[in-house]
Amino acid sequence: MKAAIIGGTGYGAIELIRLIQNHPHLEIGTVVSNSQSGTNFSDSYPHLSNIVNISLEKFDAEEISKQNDIVFLATPSGVSSKLVPELIDKGIKVIDLSGDFRLRSQNEYETWYKHTAPAEEYLSKAVYGLSEIYPEKIKEADLIANPGCYPTATTLGLLPILKANLADKKSIIIDAKSGVSGAGRGLSLTSHFAEINENIKAYKLGAHQHIPEIEQVLKDETGSLITVSFSTHLVPMNRGIMITAYVNLTGNISTSEVNELYREFYENQPFVRVRPIGIYPATKEVQGSNYCDIGLHVDPRTNRLTIVSVIDNLVKGAAGQAIQNVNIMNNWDVTTGLDSIPMYP
Amino acid sequence: MKAAIIGGTGYGAIELIRLIQNHPHLEIGTVVSNSQSGTNFSDSYPHLSNIVNISLEKFDAEEISKQNDIVFLATPSGVSSKLVPELIDKGIKVIDLSGDFRLRSQNEYETWYKHTAPAEEYLSKAVYGLSEIYPEKIKEADLIANPGCYPTATTLGLLPILKANLADKKSIIIDAKSGVSGAGRGLSLTSHFAEINENIKAYKLGAHQHIPEIEQVLKDETGSLITVSFSTHLVPMNRGIMITAYVNLTGNISTSEVNELYREFYENQPFVRVRPIGIYPATKEVQGSNYCDIGLHVDPRTNRLTIVSVIDNLVKGAAGQAIQNVNIMNNWDVTTGLDSIPMYP
Amino acid sequence: MKAAIIGGTGYGAIELIRLIQNHPHLEIGTVVSNSQSGTNFSDSYPHLSNIVNISLEKFDAEEISKQNDIVFLATPSGVSSKLVPELIDKGIKVIDLSGDFRLRSQNEYETWYKHTAPAEEYLSKAVYGLSEIYPEKIKEADLIANPGCYPTATTLGLLPILKANLADKKSIIIDAKSGVSGAGRGLSLTSHFAEINENIKAYKLGAHQHIPEIEQVLKDETGSLITVSFSTHLVPMNRGIMITAYVNLTGNISTSEVNELYREFYENQPFVRVRPIGIYPATKEVQGSNYCDIGLHVDPRTNRLTIVSVIDNLVKGAAGQAIQNVNIMNNWDVTTGLDSIPMYP
Amino acid sequence: MKAAIIGGTGYGAIELIRLIQNHPHLEIGTVVSNSQSGTNFSDSYPHLSNIVNISLEKFDAEEISKQNDIVFLATPSGVSSKLVPELIDKGIKVIDLSGDFRLRSQNEYETWYKHTAPAEEYLSKAVYGLSEIYPEKIKEADLIANPGCYPTATTLGLLPILKANLADKKSIIIDAKSGVSGAGRGLSLTSHFAEINENIKAYKLGAHQHIPEIEQVLKDETGSLITVSFSTHLVPMNRGIMITAYVNLTGNISTSEVNELYREFYENQPFVRVRPIGIYPATKEVQGSNYCDIGLHVDPRTNRLTIVSVIDNLVKGAAGQAIQNVNIMNNWDVTTGLDSIPMYP
């Protein structure tokens, strides 16, 4: 199958290319970058020299849908919403890595993203691609809204305890830490090396556009309106997200029981690994891979559960989960092309 | 005044030396390192060449008290408890940077530190040296238990809202992030470069020995038994601690009112800076300095206050606060020797 | 084919396991770690959880050679020399990643390594596994001395100009920079995070044990005794080696002619990439991959050639080249299992 | 004395402010930033909150010279050349931290800097401010061309051996490594965190504008035209420059004799420290300070001297040397305001 990638010079696209190259059933078709069309891909990314010898092209929905079997949009939010309709109308399946089609409510989208929401007609076609939770819907989808990096780590960390109805739903606090690649390749002072190296920085407290996305999943899965506290922090590293979530427990349950609960919940999920009691995951342990690793601790002093959940933001938080969704859509084994070992150290 | 430093080759001692050198009324007297006595200081630390030309000495309470006016202990916990009595008995004032004399309860100490507590007689002499909160007691003290790095950032961040009686005391969650220098110069796999670089690591969830220290201060200042959730994370940088604390508010109060409350609380405290609304501090903004910078956000969706508090763990979290306490003890201006600008970037 | 790995808990072994997992014709057999035998591999390395479920074993040449088809030694120098004879005598092929069998002269070995050299009998069996240069000998070898990380980057960078007889052989200077993983997982102050983060450190000037290895290759390939200046520097990153080599040219030759010369020299070598004129490689561009990327600049002011050569020290500088050699030994395509795209950023 | 700073929001200016704050005879007067005039300084740099409460102003030579006693220009090259004449004409002394007045030849300037050189009239007034070498001229100067970061580390490292006439002047090779703050606060892909973190990058080989500056000093001090090879590398850290220089020796001289030669050369220079034999400096050992630390090694195999010279690029390589020059100009002790201990770790 040939895959087109739109938004070809961002980190999301680069990671898609790395993963597609490793995938037995996918190959790179068209790569679109309006800003750099006509140039060779390896001019922007010398690490692709001798591997991906492709010219970047301008966006042309007609050509793309003729020459490819699937399209990945690795475009910024606000751009995907404009490109998706044309592509969908040509009958090609689309995986959108931006936030544009994740929120079902146009209102919510416009409140948090501060620009115009996609048309209702296309929003309603979108399936939220949290692979472990919605495989059946993903299988049938024409348009996948690929989850955000923070929401992936967060919802995989929270759902088992919430669905077991053991958590006080008003108590949920998520303290998120991210590597800098999550901010993309666009230049900004907060991604300027000397500013963020040797530094931790809190940003967008209570204001991150991933908040409504998390709350939408939690509501879908529990039936309750859940409002979370969500704080984001930039950490001086390239890849990796860790969320530390805090939940008040409603009954008496030990760390070992919670651990068992999580292991059962993810029993058939090859990409979610639950650490043994007393061991917490570190982001490096999933570097370059599609794993989400989870550690759990119940503090008997407060009867509060602490959940540590880590992913590689560019893999399970973006390109990897996109490939996982393609695997599901095609009835391929879910690990196809995604079974490489994390790069350590 | 001559200052002796015991534990001379750890990072705490090195930072004391940097600060003392900058202090108009202090000078370095004896520096003790049992493991490296007899060698020149700059053999272990070439950055001190041509500046501090001193031989490291063996511990000798008699000599130390004769030749110095004050003693800083930058020794590990479990060591200070053995050295303090002898020094105190010689009549010299002692600032202990370890955790040995911070907890008033021997039981608590032994529960969390896992070794024998200091004798009651000496524990009772110790004054907890949180400079902004206990200046009157510090002024009279013979033995200062200098606060831990996490407790300093945490209690300075929490006390204004707690003392204003606006917080649900059962709701306190502290998510702490620290640079690696906090783990000291002793070799261990968790401080091994390739293991922690490009990584975030959660550790000692609900089990850190700074928990009872924080709770003791909160109880002393509010009169209530307060149990906190406290999680610690290692971040790939040398210096800096950030704590992000979450507190449920008991009434309706806006970010701007909380901001005003904090500004008033710290009005006469030169080392605590409250950021304007919508701005959160980063650890680099206090690098190398004795500041504690605080940012505040009330989320109206959850009526929860998020507090971001940052310090340099080796300065305000250790050596700087120790000097600040010496300034208080001597009725010198509290900023004496501590007024240099943070090193940025 | 089943592969045994001796020295199973170092970074070299871990990287071998990552690469073997990706290799269609190799699978992990026995993994030996004397220090941690009996424990599960993922106890030391949680990133392997659910992927490599293997118990670490004690060294037993008999068992190893029965149950495996090839052995990788990822042991420190001085250890391999003791284990290789027993393994070779059992008839199993061995790839030694340590320095023990690289120098043909016992004298040289003992001068630079400061311990006893391996027996002549086994030294004489060893083939130096610089894959691009010695494929014919590698094909026939029973014992491969896998090249060091610095010598790989250096010799691949120097050989084209030297073999073209265009360089003043007395003028060669190599300024090498390495990430910290090259120093291994053993604890030491120079790999302690706070010491090497935000730091560059020169070490072992003119004294590194890779010097005679480089000189041996240069002599073998040019017929001349060549003495190089070689300086090593630690850089605050995990992976990557860059060498910047300086060579006086003996005739007039332009950057573009040198570029052409290098491209021809490596025309059929998939893992060596020569950058276009004016572009120099960065270590991140080969991260996680088996590439050696080379940039070239002739300065007409000095008639000196500057060569920039980069590799991932754990891949092309260790485990990757070992796999490349196994591919050669088995007449598999040389890129088998090694064709993944560098991880960027 | 009041000091004006032009170019107030770059890293050079920020470092000047940190050092001036620490200086007993200097105080901050006007701070000019055309792009941000009217705003409060701590809006751009929160680390200055409560310390430097100053509004940024527009450039006005008249006002500046009235209200200040000295002016520091921390402007980019090409800007200083336009501002200096006006200031000098008003009779105020100027320290220019840019490269505009360092090269005496307009031709050379235009060849390397690619824009118009300053007028001859003003060029001829400029004194090159390499403090250790030109104190007498500095004392009399009205306009100081403060040396570049690379030239400072390089010339201090090379001059003793060159002036002793023990070096082959055609053999000089300088391999330079710099932290990223040297590239300033202006946004660019090469300073983008994810691009340079975990990376070393060679750039501007043989083309850096500091080359003619180095060669001008070497010619001035030796009387010979010296052409150097000079390569620059970006290293993932904020502060610090290391140069490793290679020089063929013309006679037989041991490491210990070279060491002695350097110690004598810098005997009365408080900011240059020569390491003992076998010890090489690391950039962290001068972090935040005005030191230049030098290590030396003669390789008897090649009769080549390797010189390792480190500085903090923002201090001795910029703001610190500027202050040192002001001390010289005013007959203050050269260490005034510059005697703080490097920040370690």
Side-chain angles (χ1 to χ4, degrees):
Chain A
M1 269 179 64
K2 283 214 162 180
I5 299 172
I6 323 292
T9 51
Y11 294 141
I14 283 304
E15 194 67 2
L16 278 167
I17 281 164
R18 185 173 77 90
L19 296 174
I20 288 172
Q21 180 81 351
N22 221 30
H23 196 290
H25 310 322
L26 290 176
E27 94 184 89
I28 297 158
T30 312
V31 182
V32 169
S33 163
N34 278 337
S35 65
Q36 311 205 18
S37 65
T39 68
N40 199 297
F41 207 167
S42 58
D43 292 352
S44 312
Y45 282 110
H47 77 283
L48 297 177
S49 308
N50 299 16
I51 312 176
V52 181
N53 293 312
I54 253 181
S55 261
L56 294 165
E57 302 186 17
K58 279 215 174 302
F59 181 79
D60 177 339
E62 184 74 36
E63 280 300 305
I64 289 165
S65 58
K66 258 194 229 155
Q67 290 165 19
N68 298 276
D69 303 293
I70 194 156
V71 180
F72 295 97
L73 290 175
T75 38
S77 74
V79 173
S80 293
S81 60
K82 287 171 194 133
L83 307 181
V84 159
E86 218 181 329
L87 290 164
I88 289 288
D89 291 353
K90 301 262 181 277
I92 193 165
K93 296 203 172 194
V94 174
I95 319 270
D96 178 27
L97 279 75
S98 88
D100 278 2
F101 292 87
R102 294 182 199 150
L103 301 182
R104 284 192 301 274
S105 151
Q106 291 181 314
N107 265 359
E108 283 276 288
Y109 181 89
E110 293 178 358
T111 302
W112 292 88
Y113 281 86
K114 322 277 186 204
H115 41 241
T116 311
E120 191 61 67
E121 178 191 351
Y122 295 95
L123 269 186
S124 67
K125 285 190 205 286
V127 167
Y128 187 72
L130 189 60
S131 318
E132 277 73 15
I133 308 300
Y134 304 115
E136 294 310 321
K137 288 186 191 162
I138 290 165
K139 209 167 282 185
E140 309 300 327
D142 293 321
L143 169 57
I144 298 283
N146 212 58
C149 48
Y150 288 125
T152 297
T154 301
T155 57
L156 292 178
L158 285 172
L159 285 174
I161 196 74
L162 283 173
K163 297 198 71 164
N165 224 351
L166 289 163
D168 171 357
K169 287 167 192 145
K170 299 181 92 147
S171 74
I172 302 173
I173 291 172
I174 302 137
D175 189 282
K177 297 102 180 157
S178 176
V180 184
S181 69
R185 212 188 193 202
L187 302 181
S188 91
L189 202 54
T190 47
S191 306
H192 194 61
F193 186 86
E195 298 285 324
I196 187 60
N197 183 44
E198 281 292 293
N199 203 3
I200 329 179
K201 207 177 162 63
Y203 72 105
K204 282 198 186 178
L205 296 197
H208 199 287
Q209 69 277 12
H210 285 170
I211 292 173
E213 182 180 339
I214 291 166
E215 292 178 352
Q216 178 178 284
V217 175
L218 299 189
K219 186 174 172 206
D220 285 354
E221 290 302 296
T222 65
S224 310
L225 196 68
I226 292 182
T227 307
V228 301
S229 284
F230 182 74
S231 303
T232 38
H233 305 79
L234 268 187
V235 170
M237 60 183 199
N238 278 14
R239 285 171 179 245
I241 277 180
M242 172 180 282
I243 66 99
T244 312
Y246 302 90
V247 178
N248 292 349
L249 295 170
T250 50
N252 268 326
I253 175 170
S254 66
T255 297
S256 113
E257 288 163 317
V258 172
N259 204 284
E260 193 47 43
L261 175 76
Y262 273 69
R263 284 180 186 273
E264 276 170 26
F265 194 93
Y266 289 120
E267 201 165 22
N268 301 309
Q269 297 299 348
F271 291 123
V272 183
R273 304 186 293 189
V274 179
R275 286 280 180 287
I277 296 168
I279 309 286
Y280 310 104
T283 56
K284 189 189 284 300
E285 292 161 8
V286 299
Q287 183 178 243
S289 83
N290 201 47
Y291 290 99
C292 174
D293 286 5
I294 295 175
L296 301 153
H297 174 71
V298 175
D299 187 349
R301 303 165 69 249
T302 56
N303 203 31
R304 200 173 275 136
L305 169 64
T306 304
I307 303 156
V308 179
S309 169
V310 301
I311 59 170
D312 183 321
N313 56 306
L314 293 176
V315 190
K316 183 64 179 168
Q321 188 154 237
I323 302 287
Q324 188 178 354
N325 286 332
V326 173
N327 287 343
I328 293 171
M329 291 160 87
N330 289 283
N331 284 310
W332 300 327
D333 186 292
V334 78
T335 63
T336 312
L338 293 171
D339 53 358
S340 53
I341 292 183
M343 198 176 91
Y344 194 96
Chain B
M1 269 180 64
K2 284 213 162 181
I5 299 172
I6 322 293
T9 51
Y11 293 142
I14 283 304
E15 194 67 1
L16 278 167
I17 281 165
R18 184 174 78 90
L19 297 173
I20 288 171
Q21 180 82 352
N22 222 30
H23 197 289
H25 310 321
L26 290 176
E27 93 183 271
I28 297 158
T30 311
V31 183
V32 168
S33 164
N34 278 337
S35 65
Q36 311 206 19
S37 65
T39 69
N40 199 298
F41 207 167
S42 57
D43 293 351
S44 312
Y45 282 110
H47 77 283
L48 297 177
S49 309
N50 299 16
I51 310 176
V52 181
N53 293 311
I54 253 181
S55 260
L56 294 164
E57 302 186 16
K58 280 216 175 301
F59 181 79
D60 177 338
E62 182 76 36
E63 280 301 304
I64 289 166
S65 58
K66 258 195 228 154
Q67 291 166 18
N68 299 276
D69 303 293
I70 194 156
V71 180
F72 295 97
L73 290 175
T75 37
S77 75
V79 174
S80 291
S81 60
K82 288 170 194 134
L83 307 181
V84 159
E86 219 182 327
L87 290 163
I88 290 287
D89 291 354
K90 301 262 181 276
I92 194 165
K93 297 204 171 194
V94 173
I95 319 269
D96 178 26
L97 279 75
S98 88
D100 278 3
F101 292 87
R102 294 182 198 150
L103 301 182
R104 284 191 302 272
S105 151
Q106 291 181 315
N107 265 358
E108 284 275 289
Y109 182 89
E110 294 177 358
T111 302
W112 293 88
Y113 282 85
K114 322 277 184 204
H115 41 239
T116 312
E120 192 61 67
E121 177 191 352
Y122 294 95
L123 269 187
S124 67
K125 286 189 204 286
V127 167
Y128 187 72
L130 189 61
S131 317
E132 278 73 14
I133 308 301
Y134 303 115
E136 295 309 322
K137 287 186 191 163
I138 291 165
K139 210 167 283 185
E140 310 300 327
D142 293 321
L143 168 59
I144 298 283
N146 212 58
C149 48
Y150 288 125
T152 296
T154 301
T155 57
L156 292 178
L158 285 172
L159 285 174
I161 196 74
L162 284 173
K163 296 200 71 164
N165 223 350
L166 289 162
D168 171 357
K169 287 167 192 145
K170 300 181 90 148
S171 72
I172 301 172
I173 291 171
I174 302 138
D175 188 280
K177 299 101 179 157
S178 177
V180 185
S181 68
R185 211 188 194 202
L187 303 181
S188 90
L189 203 53
T190 48
S191 305
H192 195 61
F193 186 86
E195 298 285 323
I196 188 59
N197 184 43
E198 281 291 293
N199 203 4
I200 329 180
K201 206 178 165 61
Y203 72 105
K204 282 198 185 179
L205 296 197
H208 199 287
Q209 70 277 11
H210 286 169
I211 292 174
E213 182 179 340
I214 292 166
E215 292 178 351
Q216 178 178 282
V217 175
L218 299 188
K219 187 175 173 206
D220 285 354
E221 291 302 296
T222 66
S224 312
L225 196 67
I226 292 182
T227 308
V228 301
S229 284
F230 183 73
S231 304
T232 39
H233 305 79
L234 266 188
V235 170
M237 59 183 199
N238 277 14
R239 284 172 180 243
I241 277 180
M242 173 180 282
I243 67 100
T244 313
Y246 302 89
V247 178
N248 291 348
L249 294 170
T250 51
N252 268 325
I253 177 170
S254 65
T255 298
S256 113
E257 288 163 318
V258 172
N259 204 284
E260 193 46 43
L261 176 76
Y262 273 69
R263 284 180 187 272
E264 276 170 26
F265 194 93
Y266 290 120
E267 200 166 22
N268 301 308
Q269 298 298 350
F271 291 122
V272 183
R273 303 186 293 189
V274 179
R275 285 282 180 286
I277 296 168
I279 309 286
Y280 310 103
T283 55
K284 188 189 284 300
E285 292 161 8
V286 298
Q287 183 177 245
S289 82
N290 200 48
Y291 290 99
C292 174
D293 286 4
I294 295 175
L296 300 153
H297 174 70
V298 176
D299 187 348
R301 302 166 69 249
T302 55
N303 203 32
R304 200 172 276 137
L305 169 63
T306 304
I307 303 156
V308 179
S309 169
V310 302
I311 58 169
D312 183 320
N313 56 305
L314 293 176
V315 190
K316 184 62 180 169
Q321 189 156 235
I323 302 287
Q324 188 178 355
N325 286 331
V326 172
N327 288 343
I328 293 171
M329 291 160 87
N330 288 283
N331 284 309
W332 300 328
D333 186 293
V334 78
T335 63
T336 312
L338 294 171
D339 53 358
S340 52
I341 292 183
M343 198 175 91
Y344 194 96
Chain C
M1 269 180 62
K2 283 213 162 181
I5 298 171
I6 323 292
T9 51
Y11 293 143
I14 283 305
E15 194 66 2
L16 278 167
I17 281 166
R18 185 174 77 90
L19 297 174
I20 288 171
Q21 180 82 351
N22 222 30
H23 196 289
H25 311 321
L26 290 176
E27 95 184 89
I28 298 158
T30 312
V31 183
V32 168
S33 164
N34 279 337
S35 65
Q36 311 206 18
S37 66
T39 68
N40 199 298
F41 207 168
S42 58
D43 293 352
S44 311
Y45 281 110
H47 77 282
L48 297 178
S49 309
N50 299 17
I51 311 176
V52 180
N53 294 311
I54 254 182
S55 261
L56 294 164
E57 302 185 17
K58 279 214 177 303
F59 181 78
D60 176 338
E62 182 75 35
E63 280 300 304
I64 288 166
S65 56
K66 257 194 229 155
Q67 290 166 19
N68 299 276
D69 303 294
I70 193 156
V71 180
F72 294 97
L73 291 175
T75 37
S77 75
V79 173
S80 292
S81 59
K82 288 172 194 132
L83 306 181
V84 159
E86 219 182 329
L87 290 163
I88 290 288
D89 291 354
K90 300 262 181 278
I92 194 165
K93 297 203 171 195
V94 173
I95 319 269
D96 178 27
L97 279 76
S98 88
D100 279 2
F101 291 87
R102 295 181 198 150
L103 301 183
R104 284 192 302 274
S105 150
Q106 291 181 315
N107 265 359
E108 283 275 288
Y109 181 89
E110 294 178 359
T111 302
W112 292 89
Y113 281 85
K114 322 276 185 203
H115 42 239
T116 311
E120 193 60 67
E121 177 190 352
Y122 295 95
L123 269 187
S124 66
K125 286 189 204 285
V127 167
Y128 187 72
L130 189 60
S131 317
E132 278 72 14
I133 308 300
Y134 304 114
E136 295 310 321
K137 287 186 191 163
I138 291 166
K139 210 167 283 185
E140 310 300 328
D142 293 321
L143 169 58
I144 298 283
N146 212 58
C149 49
Y150 288 125
T152 297
T154 301
T155 57
L156 292 178
L158 285 173
L159 285 175
I161 196 73
L162 283 173
K163 297 199 70 165
N165 223 350
L166 288 162
D168 172 356
K169 286 167 192 146
K170 299 181 91 147
S171 73
I172 302 173
I173 290 171
I174 302 137
D175 189 282
K177 298 102 179 155
S178 176
V180 184
S181 69
R185 212 188 193 200
L187 302 180
S188 90
L189 203 53
T190 48
S191 305
H192 195 60
F193 186 87
E195 298 286 322
I196 188 59
N197 184 43
E198 282 291 292
N199 203 4
I200 329 178
K201 207 176 163 62
Y203 71 105
K204 282 199 187 177
L205 296 195
H208 199 287
Q209 70 277 10
H210 285 170
I211 292 174
E213 183 180 339
I214 292 166
E215 292 178 350
Q216 178 178 281
V217 175
L218 299 188
K219 187 174 172 207
D220 285 354
E221 291 302 296
T222 64
S224 311
L225 196 68
I226 293 182
T227 307
V228 300
S229 285
F230 183 73
S231 304
T232 40
H233 305 80
L234 266 187
V235 169
M237 59 183 199
N238 278 13
R239 285 172 180 244
I241 277 180
M242 172 181 282
I243 67 101
T244 312
Y246 302 89
V247 177
N248 291 349
L249 294 170
T250 51
N252 268 325
I253 177 170
S254 66
T255 298
S256 112
E257 288 163 319
V258 172
N259 204 284
E260 193 48 41
L261 176 77
Y262 273 69
R263 284 181 187 273
E264 275 170 27
F265 193 94
Y266 289 120
E267 200 165 22
N268 301 309
Q269 297 299 350
F271 291 122
V272 183
R273 304 187 293 190
V274 180
R275 286 280 181 287
I277 296 169
I279 309 287
Y280 310 104
T283 55
K284 188 189 284 299
E285 291 161 9
V286 298
Q287 184 177 243
S289 82
N290 201 47
Y291 290 99
C292 173
D293 287 4
I294 295 175
L296 300 152
H297 174 70
V298 175
D299 187 348
R301 303 166 68 249
T302 55
N303 203 31
R304 200 172 275 136
L305 169 64
T306 305
I307 303 156
V308 178
S309 168
V310 301
I311 58 170
D312 183 321
N313 57 305
L314 293 176
V315 191
K316 183 63 179 167
Q321 189 155 236
I323 302 288
Q324 188 178 355
N325 287 331
V326 173
N327 288 342
I328 293 171
M329 291 160 86
N330 288 283
N331 284 309
W332 299 328
D333 186 294
V334 77
T335 63
T336 312
L338 294 171
D339 53 357
S340 53
I341 292 183
M343 197 175 92
Y344 194 95
Chain D
M1 268 179 65
K2 283 214 163 179
I5 298 171
I6 323 291
T9 52
Y11 293 143
I14 284 303
E15 194 67 1
L16 278 167
I17 281 165
R18 184 174 77 91
L19 296 174
I20 289 171
Q21 180 81 352
N22 222 30
H23 196 289
H25 311 322
L26 291 176
E27 95 184 89
I28 297 159
T30 311
V31 183
V32 168
S33 163
N34 279 337
S35 64
Q36 310 205 19
S37 66
T39 68
N40 199 297
F41 207 167
S42 58
D43 293 350
S44 312
Y45 283 110
H47 77 283
L48 297 177
S49 309
N50 299 17
I51 310 176
V52 180
N53 293 311
I54 253 181
S55 261
L56 294 164
E57 302 186 16
K58 279 213 174 304
F59 181 78
D60 177 339
E62 183 75 36
E63 280 300 304
I64 288 165
S65 57
K66 258 193 227 155
Q67 291 166 19
N68 298 276
D69 303 293
I70 193 156
V71 180
F72 294 97
L73 290 175
T75 38
S77 75
V79 173
S80 292
S81 60
K82 288 172 194 132
L83 306 181
V84 160
E86 219 182 329
L87 290 163
I88 289 287
D89 291 353
K90 300 260 181 279
I92 193 164
K93 296 203 172 195
V94 173
I95 318 271
D96 178 26
L97 280 76
S98 88
D100 279 1
F101 292 86
R102 295 182 198 149
L103 301 183
R104 284 192 302 273
S105 151
Q106 291 180 315
N107 265 359
E108 284 275 287
Y109 181 89
E110 294 178 359
T111 302
W112 292 89
Y113 281 86
K114 322 276 186 205
H115 41 240
T116 311
E120 192 61 65
E121 178 191 351
Y122 295 95
L123 268 187
S124 67
K125 287 188 203 287
V127 167
Y128 188 72
L130 189 60
S131 318
E132 278 73 13
I133 308 300
Y134 303 115
E136 294 310 320
K137 289 186 192 162
I138 291 165
K139 210 167 282 184
E140 309 301 327
D142 293 321
L143 169 58
I144 297 283
N146 212 58
C149 49
Y150 288 125
T152 298
T154 300
T155 57
L156 293 178
L158 285 172
L159 285 174
I161 196 74
L162 284 173
K163 297 199 70 165
N165 224 350
L166 288 162
D168 170 357
K169 287 167 192 146
K170 299 181 91 149
S171 71
I172 302 173
I173 290 171
I174 302 137
D175 189 281
K177 299 100 180 158
S178 176
V180 185
S181 69
R185 212 188 193 200
L187 302 181
S188 91
L189 203 54
T190 48
S191 306
H192 195 60
F193 186 86
E195 299 285 323
I196 188 60
N197 184 43
E198 282 291 291
N199 203 4
I200 329 179
K201 208 178 163 59
Y203 72 105
K204 283 198 185 179
L205 296 197
H208 198 287
Q209 70 277 11
H210 285 170
I211 293 174
E213 182 179 340
I214 291 166
E215 292 178 350
Q216 178 178 282
V217 175
L218 299 189
K219 186 175 173 207
D220 286 354
E221 291 302 296
T222 65
S224 312
L225 196 68
I226 293 182
T227 307
V228 300
S229 284
F230 182 74
S231 304
T232 39
H233 305 79
L234 267 187
V235 169
M237 60 182 199
N238 279 13
R239 284 171 179 244
I241 276 179
M242 172 181 283
I243 66 101
T244 313
Y246 301 90
V247 177
N248 291 350
L249 295 171
T250 51
N252 269 325
I253 176 171
S254 66
T255 298
S256 113
E257 287 163 318
V258 172
N259 204 283
E260 192 48 42
L261 176 77
Y262 273 70
R263 285 179 187 273
E264 275 170 27
F265 193 94
Y266 289 120
E267 200 165 21
N268 301 308
Q269 298 298 350
F271 291 122
V272 183
R273 304 186 294 190
V274 180
R275 286 280 181 286
I277 296 169
I279 309 287
Y280 310 104
T283 55
K284 189 189 283 300
E285 292 161 9
V286 298
Q287 183 177 242
S289 82
N290 200 48
Y291 290 99
C292 173
D293 286 4
I294 295 175
L296 300 152
H297 174 70
V298 175
D299 187 349
R301 302 165 70 248
T302 55
N303 203 31
R304 198 173 277 137
L305 168 65
T306 304
I307 303 156
V308 179
S309 168
V310 302
I311 59 170
D312 182 320
N313 56 305
L314 293 176
V315 190
K316 183 62 180 168
Q321 188 156 238
I323 303 287
Q324 188 178 354
N325 287 331
V326 173
N327 288 343
I328 293 171
M329 291 160 87
N330 288 282
N331 284 309
W332 300 328
D333 186 293
V334 78
T335 63
T336 311
L338 294 170
D339 53 356
S340 52
I341 292 182
M343 198 176 92
Y344 195 96

